């Protein structure tokens, strides 16, 4: 059997006519930037998150970067980010001129360990970016408590967690702002690049919108040295078509993950842990194994696609050599990078495929 790591085909087949009619609607309107679709999506996604405002932007990296910029984070500042995340989280900090400070995760959940945050705070710290990694919310109560105590902004990175909840509350509504990505492979994906900032702060929403539109509050009037990062009409319309299906598709991912969690039984394999307060949306199902590369070879040989999130931690990437963080300095992130293996989990997996993956892992 051949099972790709990810495929959008089952979802796209199911939503084919809705996606095509969204395209036709925009093409008929013949209006591509800053129009009714963007407005409608912003309203719908804010409602979905139970937040007051949503501002569509060009991608998830810009959503984080523009949030930090609007909050006044700048050169000389420090921002706490998890040591285990996709590099966009750290790059958003770098792009506003600030320095990312890495805090280790809880190896069971892969998410930032709230107990380790306070030790990383200095007089330069301005913000924390908790990343709801692989679709599971961070432990937000202690994170918000330490942020409030030290007067730090909180920008949630929700790129992998659309619809995930913590104590019944959707991610994206705990901090001062949240960045979402609608990269095609995310739980809610566009057919290209797209992202959004979600916030309950009107001034912040207005500023993010202006910053992503050449710093303009109205046409040819520029109050900031902004840049160009807008959610275009086509992507907004496509996202509007997919949004009503998100909860159902997330629930299906949870069903598949539930089978993995109860059926995978192999002493060499460590399964991801879900905190009791969290309902994850399983962007990624990441298992750990000391013999990770051998397990990957075994699964690939059986036709099962796999991935690693992430093979090299950020502090050991060439682009961050200037931070001078040596190998061994962030042992938990390094351990995850050596042992994590992501197995296929996408909407529309068949029971036969799920069974085949479980059996292949159990016989390793
Ligand atoms: C995908 C992702 C981003 C960046 O989103 P883009 O839309 O690709 O810019 C940021 N943070 C995390 C954790 C991501 O997974």
């Amino acid at each position: 059997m051949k099972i790709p790591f990810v495929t959008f085909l089952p979802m796209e087949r199911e939503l084919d006519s809705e996606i095509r009619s969204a395209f036709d609607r925009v093409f008929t309107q013949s209006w591509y930037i800053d129009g009714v679709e963007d407005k409608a999506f912003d309203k719908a996604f804010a409602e979905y998150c139970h937040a007051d405002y949503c501002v569509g932007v060009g991608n998830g990296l810009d959503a984080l970067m523009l949030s930090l910029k609007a909050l006044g984070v700048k050169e000389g500042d420090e921002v706490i980010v998890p040591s285990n995340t996709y590099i966009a989280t750290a790059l958003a900090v770098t792009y506003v001129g600030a320095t990312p400070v890495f805090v280790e995760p809880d190896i069971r959940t892969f998410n930032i360990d709230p107990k380790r945050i306070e030790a990383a705070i200095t007089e330069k710290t301005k913000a924390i970016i908790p990343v709801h990694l692989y679709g599971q919310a961070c432990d937000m109560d202690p994170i918000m408590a330490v942020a409030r105590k030290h007067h730090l902004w909180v920008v949630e990175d929700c790129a992998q967690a659309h619809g995930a909840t913590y104590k019944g509350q959707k991610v994206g509504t705990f901090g001062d702002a949240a960045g979402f990505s609608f990269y095609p492979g995310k739980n809610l994906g566009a057919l290209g690049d797209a992202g959004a900032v979600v916030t309950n702060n009107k001034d912040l929403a207005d500023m993010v919108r202006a910053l992503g539109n050449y710093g303009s509050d109205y046409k040819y009037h520029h109050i900031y040295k902004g840049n160009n990062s807008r959610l275009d009409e086509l992507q907004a319309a496509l996202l509007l078509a997919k949004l009503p299906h998100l909860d159902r598709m997330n629930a299906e991912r949870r069903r598949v993950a539930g089978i993995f969690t109860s059926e995978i039984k192999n002493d060499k394999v460590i399964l991801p842990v879900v905190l009791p307060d969290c309902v994850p949306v399983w962007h990624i199902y990441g298992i750990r194994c000391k013999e990770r590369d051998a397990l990957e070879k075994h699964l690939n040989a059986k036709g099962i696609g796999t991935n690693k999130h992430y093979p090299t931690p950020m502090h050991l990437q060439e682009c961050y050599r200037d931070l001078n963080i040596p190998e061994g300095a962030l042992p938990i992130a390094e351990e995850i990078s050596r042992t994590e293996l992501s197995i296929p989990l996408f909407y529309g997996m068949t029971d036969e495929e799920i069974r085949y993956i479980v059996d292949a892992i159990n016989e390793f």
Side-chain angles (χ1 to χ4, degrees):
M1 197 184 294
K2 263 212 134 15
I3 308 171
F5 175 67
V6 68
T7 172
F8 311 136
L9 290 176
M11 181 226 304
E12 290 175 350
R13 268 189 221 112
E14 205 179 295
L15 305 184
D16 187 279
S17 65
E18 289 168 68
I19 288 171
R20 284 176 202 281
S21 70
F23 172 85
D24 285 346
R25 190 172 72 232
V26 174
F27 195 52
T28 303
Q29 283 160 189
S30 188
W31 186 273
Y32 301 107
I33 301 275
D34 192 17
V36 294
E37 304 293 338
D38 176 25
K39 275 193 192 67
F41 177 74
D42 286 357
K43 185 166 180 290
F45 196 64
E47 274 168 19
Y48 176 81
C49 295
H50 303 296
D52 291 340
Y53 306 97
C54 168
V55 181
V57 297
N59 55 65
L61 171 60
D62 284 353
L64 296 171
M65 191 264 286
L66 293 171
S67 296
L68 291 172
K69 205 166 165 176
L71 289 167
V73 179
K74 57 181 189 315
E75 199 172 339
D77 294 342
E78 291 177 356
V79 177
I80 289 173
V81 301
S83 56
N84 179 50
T85 178
Y86 182 55
I87 198 157
T89 316
L91 286 176
V93 175
T94 300
Y95 280 162
V96 298
T99 304
V101 174
F102 300 116
V103 168
E104 291 268 71
D106 176 338
I107 199 158
R108 299 169 308 147
T109 64
F110 302 103
N111 274 332
I112 192 166
D113 185 345
K115 290 191 299 294
R116 295 169 182 268
I117 292 175
E118 198 151 33
I121 294 172
T122 71
E123 67 276 14
K124 293 181 181 167
T125 310
K126 288 288 150 53
I128 305 172
I129 309 184
V131 183
H132 309 299
L133 205 66
Y134 310 158
Q136 176 169 207
C138 296
D139 191 4
M140 288 310 293
D141 280 352
I143 293 174
M144 293 311 297
V146 75
R148 295 301 175 238
K149 181 176 163 197
H150 293 272
H151 308 288
L152 305 177
W153 303 115
V154 173
V155 176
E156 298 170 66
D157 183 339
C158 301
Q160 303 188 357
H162 320 66
T165 62
Y166 173 82
K167 299 193 173 172
Q169 185 180 339
K170 289 239 174 83
V171 298
T173 57
F174 293 89
D176 301 285
F180 283 85
S181 164
F182 307 117
Y183 177 83
K186 310 289 179 166
N187 291 43
L188 178 62
L191 305 189
D193 275 318
V197 173
V198 163
T199 179
N200 289 326
N201 180 333
K202 182 175 190 303
D203 292 340
L204 195 71
D206 289 345
M207 189 163 176
V208 167
R209 191 178 299 285
L211 283 170
N213 190 23
Y214 295 103
S216 165
D217 52 352
Y218 58 89
K219 206 169 173 67
Y220 302 132
H221 187 261
H222 303 273
I223 48 180
Y224 314 113
K225 296 184 189 79
N227 64 2
N228 176 5
S229 185
R230 302 175 290 215
L231 177 61
D232 67 68
E233 289 288 283
L234 197 49
Q235 299 305 339
L238 298 166
L239 289 166
L240 265 173
K242 289 170 97 177
L243 181 59
H245 304 281
L246 176 59
D247 280 341
R248 181 172 57 84
M249 293 183 168
N250 278 343
E252 174 58 15
R253 298 175 89 98
R254 269 195 298 278
R255 186 185 75 86
V256 177
I259 298 172
F260 286 157
T261 301
S262 61
E263 303 286 317
I264 296 175
K265 291 188 176 82
N266 183 326
D267 290 344
K268 294 188 213 161
V269 171
I270 302 169
L271 300 180
V273 170
V274 176
L275 296 180
D277 292 326
C278 291
V279 178
V281 294
W282 296 106
H283 176 59
I284 282 164
Y285 195 92
I287 61 178
R288 289 200 308 113
C289 178
K290 280 226 173 344
E291 299 161 49
R292 187 263 314 268
D293 293 348
L295 174 58
E296 176 169 53
K297 258 212 185 102
H298 166 76
L299 296 179
N300 293 168
K302 292 185 140 305
I304 300 169
T306 54
N307 217 327
K308 299 177 190 120
H309 297 92
Y310 295 89
T312 305
M314 292 165 295
H315 66 288
L316 302 179
Q317 294 282 356
E318 193 165 331
C319 68
Y320 277 128
R321 238 179 3 207
D322 58 333
L323 293 176
N324 283 314
I325 305 173
E327 192 165 355
L330 295 164
I332 302 176
E334 291 170 27
E335 173 77 5
I336 291 171
S337 75
R338 277 192 301 269
T339 56
E340 193 274 348
L341 188 69
S342 307
I343 61 176
L345 205 181
F346 49 83
Y347 177 78
M349 280 173 86
T350 65
D351 289 338
E352 200 186 359
E353 288 172 325
I354 299 165
R355 189 76 249 163
Y356 185 76
I357 294 165
V358 168
D359 290 344
I361 295 171
N362 287 350
E363 74 186 36
F364 173 70

